[in-house]
Amino acid sequence: MRIGFGARQTRRDAAASGAGEDEETKANRFRALALPHLNDVYTLARYLLPRADAEDAVQECFLRAFRYFGSFGGGPVKPWLLAILRNVARSQRAGAASLVFGEELSVGGAAQELPPLWGEAPESPETSLIKREDAVRLRQLIAGLPAEFREVLVLRELNDLSYREIAQVTGAPEGTVMSRLARARKMLREALEAQEEKA
Amino acid sequence: MNCDEARDLMHPLLDGELDAKHARAVEVHAEGCTGCAAELSSLRDLQKTIFAAQLCYPAPESLRLRIERALPRPAIRPSRREWLQGFALGAGLSAIAASGVFVAVLREDKESPILSDIVSAHLRALEPDHLTDVPSSDRHSVKPWFNGKVDAAPPVPDLSAEGFALIGGRLDAIGGKMVAAIVYKKRAHIINLFVAPGAAGERLPAIEKAQGFNVRHWTEDGVSLFAISDLNAAELADFAAAFSAAAAQTGK
């Protein structure tokens, strides 16, 4: 994308190698390419971290991403951002003495912050209520999965990444991604069935 | 294919990761095996349930603003800010009837992001050395330059017969997207034409005056076009008409 188109490109290349790109140009590119993925990054943060830590992690992720943006080699931006978020989340968790990576999360207050209902097909109050209850329940069950299964499930089903992209984000081979995803789905399905039996 | 193989491949099948040959093999196996058919449909249901429940968390607007503020911003002159606030108020009032969403967005931003971006981009472009990434009066070198860089690669017609000389092309950020900017010139007046995919600016009036510039907006074949210049309104209208007619002829 940045191969030789006159003086300005050369300046950008110099910037990419750390010589101090025009900050405004860099910020504009970052706004256009990285910020549209904010909801994806925040979603992953909410499933990897306790709720109170998610916002700080996302902010830290975008600050780091902007710092590294000059040396970002191109390609899809979303997996790159999600990999940074994952690293931020891991170091936050490592720093928190009370938390062990792999510990289950609890999802508190999920009912109050479901996606707004505008923009959806009109539906009766009953069906939207059922939907909300489903969402709360499912979020809790996903939060209860062990971390390595939870993250591949979220990256695949909510962040819509391909196996290869998930492998990039998690550092696990594609075959491992596939088998973890299969396990994650089975665990989630069993948990759903167990809950339905209780009800 | 046996049951173990089929069950391993069901997940990549549901995730769109299997080639057609293997996908077909799994489906053929499931057609003749009730156990695997049940498993496949159960996994499909689970995926649908997850999708339908909308489990994503939208980021709080306050978080978006915090991140935005941490980024370097182009300096905004006070006169323009005032003007834009006036605009936002008017647009906000008319939008109340149309959509609660847009009102909420405006409340956060206090100005029309699209128009603000267009004026900022035009001002930036007028600074020395910022006008073009690909300086050329040859449309055959400007048009291909955009390929692969933006979602909507724009038509780049030659309008020299109508008195508008092609200066070159550039990438710019409008409404959070990378868009193509094509630069033309009439006498000493620079015209920036932004081509954005989708109906990004459909709430903007067709003609606006912003801080001494005329802005013209129209949509064509699913792309939004914004022309901004210090050219007078009538000549800018001529430019829009000439571009539109020529673009239709070149067949994009």
Side-chain angles (χ1 to χ4, degrees):
Chain A
M1 173 168 172
R2 302 200 199 97
I3 304 163
F5 290 99
R8 188 151 175 235
Q9 288 305 132
T10 316
R11 198 155 52 92
R12 274 191 194 165
D13 285 347
S17 58
E21 180 180 15
D22 173 350
E23 281 292 293
E24 200 180 295
T25 312
K26 186 175 148 191
N28 280 336
R29 282 200 299 132
F30 189 77
R31 271 193 195 91
L33 296 175
L35 277 187
H37 301 296
L38 178 60
N39 283 342
D40 272 295
V41 174
Y42 183 68
T43 293
L44 182 62
R46 287 296 303 271
Y47 283 98
L48 295 189
L49 289 165
R51 184 176 175 189
D53 300 333
E55 285 199 31
D56 284 346
V58 172
Q59 190 171 12
E60 173 63 22
C61 164
F62 275 88
L63 288 180
R64 281 194 204 180
F66 184 64
R67 220 178 298 139
Y68 306 149
F69 194 54
S71 55
F72 172 59
V77 174
K78 186 160 79 172
W80 179 69
L81 282 170
L82 293 174
I84 297 175
L85 186 274
R86 185 174 177 273
N87 286 336
V88 171
R90 287 178 76 104
S91 52
Q92 277 196 5
R93 298 194 66 130
S98 60
L99 287 171
V100 184
F101 194 64
E103 185 194 349
E104 294 167 6
L105 291 178
S106 67
V107 178
Q112 289 95 53
E113 41 159 350
L114 285 163
L117 291 168
W118 39 255
E120 289 174 21
E123 51 193 341
S124 70
E126 290 80 24
T127 55
S128 87
L129 188 66
I130 290 166
K131 230 163 128 180
R132 275 163 180 258
E133 281 173 359
D134 277 353
V136 172
R137 208 155 46 106
L138 274 166
R139 281 175 171 173
Q140 279 166 348
L141 294 179
I142 292 172
L145 296 176
E148 69 265 39
F149 300 104
R150 190 193 324 138
E151 70 178 3
V152 291
L153 189 73
V154 172
L155 288 166
R156 172 68 208 112
E157 299 287 20
L158 306 187
N159 294 131
D160 201 26
L161 296 194
S162 69
Y163 287 7
R164 177 181 297 180
E165 289 169 330
I166 297 172
Q168 279 168 18
V169 172
T170 59
E174 277 183 58
T176 308
V177 169
M178 187 167 90
S179 57
R180 279 187 192 163
L181 196 49
R183 268 293 293 287
R185 284 180 175 141
K186 277 172 197 156
M187 284 191 276
L188 182 60
R189 188 172 58 186
E190 280 162 20
L192 260 175
E193 285 164 359
Q195 226 183 35
E196 271 159 23
E197 267 169 40
K198 251 193 282 171
Chain B
M1 180 171 286
N2 64 35
C3 290
D4 284 345
E5 287 164 345
R7 286 182 188 218
D8 279 347
L9 292 180
M10 279 175 192
H11 294 272
L13 172 69
L14 291 173
D15 294 321
E17 300 266 348
L18 272 196
D19 59 43
K21 189 178 133 218
H22 285 93
R24 187 74 201 122
V26 176
E27 278 161 359
V28 166
H29 172 86
E31 276 164 25
C33 170
T34 46
C36 286
E39 173 70 6
L40 185 58
S41 97
S42 153
L43 287 173
R44 226 172 231 144
D45 286 348
L46 180 68
Q47 206 170 34
K48 274 188 209 150
T49 306
I50 293 173
F51 182 77
Q54 299 184 350
L55 301 179
C56 289
Y57 290 94
E61 203 49 39
S62 56
L63 177 62
R64 188 183 299 273
L65 285 175
R66 259 201 287 158
I67 292 168
E68 264 285 348
R69 284 200 195 107
L71 295 174
R73 270 208 86 83
I76 295 176
R77 284 190 254 155
S79 61
R80 196 173 113 233
R81 181 170 281 283
E82 276 164 30
W83 184 89
L84 284 166
Q85 275 171 356
F87 173 81
L89 186 64
L93 288 175
S94 56
I96 286 170
S99 149
V101 182
F102 191 56
V103 175
V105 170
L106 276 175
R107 255 207 317 262
E108 290 292 340
D109 287 344
K110 290 291 199 307
E111 52 187 50
S112 157
I114 297 279
L115 190 61
S116 163
D117 283 357
I118 288 166
V119 176
S120 301
H122 186 63
L123 286 169
R124 263 201 314 278
L126 296 178
E127 287 168 25
D129 194 30
H130 278 69
L131 194 55
T132 55
D133 286 330
V134 49
S136 173
S137 57
D138 180 4
R139 69 191 196 86
H140 297 296
S141 57
V142 175
K143 183 171 168 49
W145 183 81
F146 284 117
N147 287 338
K149 293 192 178 65
V150 286
D151 290 341
V156 185
D158 182 354
L159 303 175
S160 51
E162 285 84 359
F164 302 99
L166 180 62
I167 302 296
R170 191 180 71 244
L171 292 184
D172 234 312
I174 302 287
K177 290 198 185 81
M178 272 306 194
V179 303
I182 311 169
V183 188
Y184 290 88
K185 191 173 181 176
K186 177 157 195 177
R187 300 188 303 275
H189 306 286
I190 295 290
I191 304 161
N192 267 296
L193 179 71
F194 300 100
V195 185
E202 63 188 350
R203 288 189 186 84
L204 277 187
I207 306 161
E208 271 300 339
K209 219 168 154 57
Q211 217 202 324
F213 299 115
N214 284 304
V215 183
R216 235 191 133 75
H217 164 243
W218 72 102
T219 56
E220 237 173 73
D221 286 350
V223 297
S224 291
L225 298 104
F226 305 89
I228 177 167
S229 176
D230 58 349
L231 214 54
N232 69 53
E235 282 181 301
L236 193 62
D238 289 345
F239 167 78
F243 182 91
S244 189
Q249 268 195 355
T250 58
K252 319 242 151 153

